Amino acid sequence: MCQLLALNCAEPTDVSFSLTGFAARGGLTDHHVDGWGVAFYEDRACRVFVDEKPAYQSPVAEFLKSYPIKSRNVVAHIRKATQGGARVENCHPFMRELRGQQWVFAHNGDLQPLDGPEHGPYAQVGTTDSEAAFCFIMNRLYAHFAAQANTAPGVDDIDAVFDVIEQATRTLNPYGIFNFVLSNGQAQFAYCSTRLSYVIRHWPFSSARLVDGDLSVDFAERGTPADRTAVIATTPLTDEVWTACEPGDLLMFRSGALVRRAHVPVPAEVLATAKYAPSELSAVPA
Amino acid sequence: MCQLLALNCAEPTDVSFSLTGFAARGGLTDHHVDGWGVAFYEDRACRVFVDEKPAYQSPVAEFLKSYPIKSRNVVAHIRKATQGGARVENCHPFMRELRGQQWVFAHNGDLQPLDGPEHGPYAQVGTTDSEAAFCFIMNRLYAHFAAQANTAPGVDDIDAVFDVIEQATRTLNPYGIFNFVLSNGQAQFAYCSTRLSYVIRHWPFSSARLVDGDLSVDFAERGTPADRTAVIATTPLTDEVWTACEPGDLLMFRSGALVRRAHVPVPAEVLATAKYAPSELSAVPA
């Protein structure tokens, strides 16, 4: 299994603190050694950095710590391969463009092969179940938003985007464990199939201590009333009070706030394959 | 105007030598200060690094010098903005996926606005004429190779890809100066609208000295008979014997060799707007 991290911020935010704790899980405090990746939105642009090396010894990760990018939306992933070798094309997050927006996706779980690719322009480059699922969602979004070109509704209708993602999740759910984070730079979508938590930092800020390293940050020193950050991760990164999602939670975050929630039931046979029962989630070590 | 660099190699090759000379043009030996970027193919994967800072003082460029990636296909670009601000989304190379392959594109020139976007799934994220032209080409490729999904011919038919690019270039040519490099990881395509040169390095290798920096490499020390590298650039990077392309040359390189050439005439009114007449090309300083 892999680890997910996503951030959604009201203001462009230096996320190197969260990234430092997260990168430690790539081989140092946890066993996710088959590559890692992070995507940063800067307004309309999205830069993706991936590496097939373990995050804790990746030169790309080291570089990013010294070159913090300020971003409103971040998607990161540390990989423990279940399907697909430790190759660059199999590293999450994956990125595709739709209607002039970059979309990025990272997955934690393990899916059975889909019955066939959804018809549409998006096809996988690598060999993972995760990229296949992402292409499925993108083809669904394309069918809804872009197939009729300029007469189609815009992807700026973020609630319509949520609806399409909800339907696609319903379709993909029976194939297996499907925790994911997905962003188009306008919102952060997150689905809890078996395990996902989040915390929202807002003014007045307090300090936080990383679970995975000897590092604390006093956010009160730099936060302003305009700042608000939602941090979503497979398991809590810090000693703050995190909210454990329920299996089936599909969440949408905008400007650092949880703005919409839907319940997409996880089939019982999928939950049965999960390593940890949902009720144990808060007690699971990172 | 901008500067282009592309490499096409028979074997995975460390291209940091060429990149060092090229990066110097981003503000040090030339005035291309509005960002830069480079794309490396590693088998099916393609990693793109872009930065809106001048290449000669970019932390990303510095990092790449110390973390050389071995690649068979590289596309790089240094930007002097003519259209679109110095923003990350306007930095070349641009990347899109088509039928499970990553395609990257970089442009040197200046195009009038197209009469309308070509119908298809690809739309620009930024505001440059270059990305609009790339999306035009990708939509043409999509119409040819992917619109009928699995019944369409494969993009592995590289000569069919060449034909579509040739036709798209013919359509785009009247809009202005359109030097470009384009790759799908299988081949390197290069078009000379006004200015482009190339050199092919093969066994037995000799040494080369950078035009833009005090650096020489003796390729004989590390090259083998299996190695062969085509280097394509706006102007020669080294003191080797480069071939200046003729305006209208559309070239395809595979495994470090020039394998196909077509002539796509450049309209006289476009040539008239070029800063340098074609006959002066070899005398133009870098």
Side-chain angles (χ1 to χ4, degrees), chain B residues 32-86:
Chain B
H32 305 90
V33 295
D34 297 317
W36 73 284
V38 58
F40 298 91
Y41 281 91
E42 293 155 276
D43 292 325
R44 298 186 60 77
C46 184
R47 284 197 268 187
V48 178
F49 297 86
V50 293
D51 204 341
E52 80 279 22
K53 295 181 184 62
Y56 85 99
Q57 57 180 212
S58 158
V60 185
E62 200 55 41
F63 157 70
L64 286 174
K65 281 185 212 165
S66 65
Y67 180 59
I69 297 170
K70 287 200 167 192
S71 178
R72 282 196 179 89
N73 278 287
V74 175
V75 168
H77 183 269
I78 295 173
R79 186 157 184 257
K80 174 78 182 73
T82 52
Q83 298 181 34

Side-chain angles (χ1 to χ4, degrees), chain A residues 57-76:
Chain A
Q57 59 180 208
S58 158
V60 184
E62 200 54 43
F63 157 69
L64 286 174
K65 281 185 212 164
S66 65
Y67 180 59
I69 296 171
K70 288 200 166 193
S71 177
R72 281 197 180 88
N73 278 287
V74 174
V75 168

Side-chain angles (χ1 to χ4, degrees), chain A residues 42-53 58-60 63 67 87-90 95-102 117 119-126 131 135 142 146-150, chain B residues 42-53 58-60 63 67 87-90 95-102 117 119-126 131 135 142 146-150:
Chain A
E42 294 154 277
D43 291 326
R44 297 186 62 76
C46 184
R47 286 197 268 188
V48 178
F49 297 86
V50 293
D51 203 342
E52 80 279 21
K53 296 182 185 63
S58 158
V60 184
F63 157 69
Y67 180 59
R87 304 171 61 88
V88 177
E89 65 265 30
N90 289 337
M95 180 166 75
R96 294 292 189 279
E97 175 265 318
L98 168 67
R99 290 203 84 172
Q101 292 183 352
Q102 299 288 12
H119 180 70
Y122 302 97
Q124 64 186 116
V125 174
E131 193 187 10
C135 290
Y142 181 78
Q148 291 88 37
N150 295 331
Chain B
E42 293 155 276
D43 292 325
R44 298 186 60 77
C46 184
R47 284 197 268 187
V48 178
F49 297 86
V50 293
D51 204 341
E52 80 279 22
K53 295 181 184 62
S58 158
V60 185
F63 157 70
Y67 180 59
R87 303 171 62 87
V88 176
E89 66 264 32
N90 289 336
M95 180 165 75
R96 294 292 189 279
E97 174 265 317
L98 169 66
R99 290 202 85 171
Q101 292 183 351
Q102 299 287 13
H119 180 71
Y122 302 96
Q124 64 186 116
V125 174
E131 194 188 10
C135 290
Y142 181 77
Q148 292 88 38
N150 295 330

Side-chain angles (χ1 to χ4, degrees), chain A residues 175-261:
Chain A
Y175 290 91
I177 296 176
F178 192 46
N179 304 290
F180 71 78
V181 287
L182 168 64
S183 182
N184 66 343
Q186 308 299 308
Q188 188 71 245
F189 304 92
Y191 182 63
C192 173
S193 172
T194 54
R195 189 149 65 139
L196 203 64
S197 293
Y198 69 90
V199 64
I200 293 186
R201 296 183 187 134
H202 54 79
W203 197 85
F205 293 88
S206 55
S207 67
R209 185 178 183 81
L210 283 180
V211 171
D212 299 87
D214 189 20
L215 186 61
S216 293
V217 165
D218 185 1
F219 293 107
E221 284 178 5
R222 28 181 169 166
T224 74
D227 288 318
R228 177 187 281 266
T229 297
V231 187
I232 304 128
T234 299
T235 56
L237 285 170
T238 62
D239 61 359
E240 295 158 290
V241 179
W242 289 63
T243 303
C245 300
E246 290 296 314
D249 274 350
L250 178 65
L251 310 176
M252 178 165 77
F253 297 87
R254 299 194 78 183
S255 301
L258 176 60
V259 295
R260 193 170 161 193
R261 180 196 297 262

Side-chain angles (χ1 to χ4, degrees), chain A residues 161-178:
Chain A
V161 170
F162 185 96
D163 292 341
V164 174
I165 293 170
E166 182 183 342
Q167 287 304 319
T169 303
R170 215 173 285 276
T171 308
L172 292 168
N173 240 351
Y175 290 91
I177 296 176
F178 192 46

